[in-house]
Amino acid sequence: MPGTVLLLAASPVGKGRLVDAASVLPVLAAVPPGVLAGTDTANVVELADPLDPQAVLTRLRAAAAAPGPLTVYVTGQLQLDRRQRLPHLALARTTASTARYTAFPWHWFREELRLRPTGATTLLLDLHADAETWELLRGTPLDSGCGNAVHGRIAPPPSRRTVAAPAYMKAVATILRSGYRPPVEQLHQQALARIAPESAGTDIVLSTPGPSAGDPHAAITAAVQSGRHADADALAARYEQAAVAAHGPASEEALHWAEVRADLAMFAGDAGRSCHTWLTVATVRLNAGQAPDAPAVEAAVDRAHHQWSQIRDTARARELGAALAELRGRVPGRREGALDHVQRQLRQLQTQP
């Protein structure tokens, strides 16, 4: 099966730039697509210094939906948003004060990649952190999703008035230009060995293998891929019930499986059920005391909004739209005008039979 490769290199324009991320792209582009993906053939999507986090999200979502192995190469710098102090990948227009709105939230990688098949997703990362983010990451691991193989490094901020080079990713690209991609753990170790003299042991090394074959998500994904959507939902429902019994309905364990079922409804083409489930997840999280701008709350409402826009049954759309509008009043999200969009669509629905 063909592979998919997403090459993402991003860093701010101007004095906030810590690393010349895009300089690695010509080296990566010289590698045959199949070698980048570790497959016979592959589709490659390249994003060089993108401006808009929503545009990056669209490309990531499309890559995540592609069948076959996915390899994501990310080069850039991490900054914290000032409100929640969560890591973001800085984009071309990002500044310290605008990271929440102009940078790409790192947890979106986790959200978009979480339902991919077991062992089918690899992230190779060469990241630099500003001083504030570096201090946070020394005690809090960067969460790229439990279902993905993740290899790479996070470097501390370079000395003042210095723009660093993406040495790890250039080493990876140089190795791959031989025309052979070794097993990813071996590729990672070879790249680390090449940059060892300059990194001087200061980097945070990322090395997480993919999940085991016994992961229940593998059976669910296999059912979806073979068109057995009801079987996939039934299996996820059993895990959700067990999590509710063991940990309670507002636990992360139970909510995870509710979110899986929301995605399964989307894969089955049931936008109404998916929207309703996401609305329920968001409400449970809010009632449990989570903040309206918490990543999991925003993600649930954003996904409910997206699925609502896919509903073709007018009565169902009106019913769920009223609930969505109420939630949007509490959870405006990062996209400007989201509440206005719901209200405008609801007014149009009222005129339809």
Side-chain angles (χ1 to χ4, degrees), residues 171-191:
V172 166
T174 301
I175 295 165
L176 294 179
R177 285 182 70 176
S178 68
Y180 167 69
R181 175 170 145 171
V184 70
E185 294 86 354
Q186 186 179 333
L187 172 64
H188 168 64
Q189 292 299 330
Q190 290 177 5

Side-chain angles (χ1 to χ4, degrees), residues 23 32 34 50 111 125 166 172 174 187 189-190 201 203 217 219 260 285 318-319 332 334 338 352:
S23 66
E111 291 292 329
L125 311 177
V172 166
T174 301
L187 172 64
Q189 292 299 330
Q190 290 177 5
D203 295 349
H217 298 81
V260 168
R285 288 189 179 281
R318 278 198 293 258
E319 173 196 353
R334 295 168 185 251
Q352 298 177 19

Side-chain angles (χ1 to χ4, degrees), residues 16 20 46-47 86 137 173 183 206 241 254 282 288 312 335 340:
D20 184 9
E46 181 179 303
L47 289 173
L86 293 172
L137 293 177
L206 308 170
Q241 291 162 4
R312 298 294 170 255
R335 296 201 75 166
D340 289 342

Side-chain angles (χ1 to χ4, degrees), residues 246-312:
H247 306 286
S251 65
E252 283 301 320
E253 292 85 354
L255 288 169
H256 166 75
W257 287 109
E259 291 173 347
V260 168
R261 296 187 69 195
D263 278 333
L264 291 175
M266 175 190 67
F267 292 143
D270 191 341
R273 180 160 59 92
S274 181
C275 175
H276 179 267
T277 307
W278 281 118
L279 290 172
T280 301
V281 168
T283 301
V284 170
R285 288 189 179 281
L286 288 168
N287 290 344
Q290 295 187 26
D293 62 354
V297 175
E298 285 188 340
V301 178
D302 287 347
R303 287 168 180 266
H305 193 156
H306 179 263
Q307 287 300 293
W308 179 67
S309 68
Q310 309 300 310
I311 298 172
R312 298 294 170 255

Side-chain angles (χ1 to χ4, degrees), residues 12-85:
V13 174
K15 64 180 182 179
R17 173 173 291 199
L18 301 180
V19 58
D20 184 9
S23 66
V24 77
L25 288 176
V27 193
L28 284 169
V31 178
V35 177
L36 286 171
T39 56
D40 289 338
T41 61
N43 300 309
V44 178
V45 177
E46 181 179 303
L47 289 173
D49 282 329
L51 299 174
D52 179 21
Q54 293 295 330
V56 177
L57 179 62
T58 298
R59 296 296 184 88
L60 175 63
R61 188 167 287 168
L70 169 64
T71 307
V72 182
Y73 295 80
V74 184
T75 308
Q77 69 187 62
L78 297 174
Q79 294 180 208
L80 302 181
D81 70 296
R82 287 186 170 175
R83 184 186 298 183
Q84 295 174 295
R85 295 181 56 77

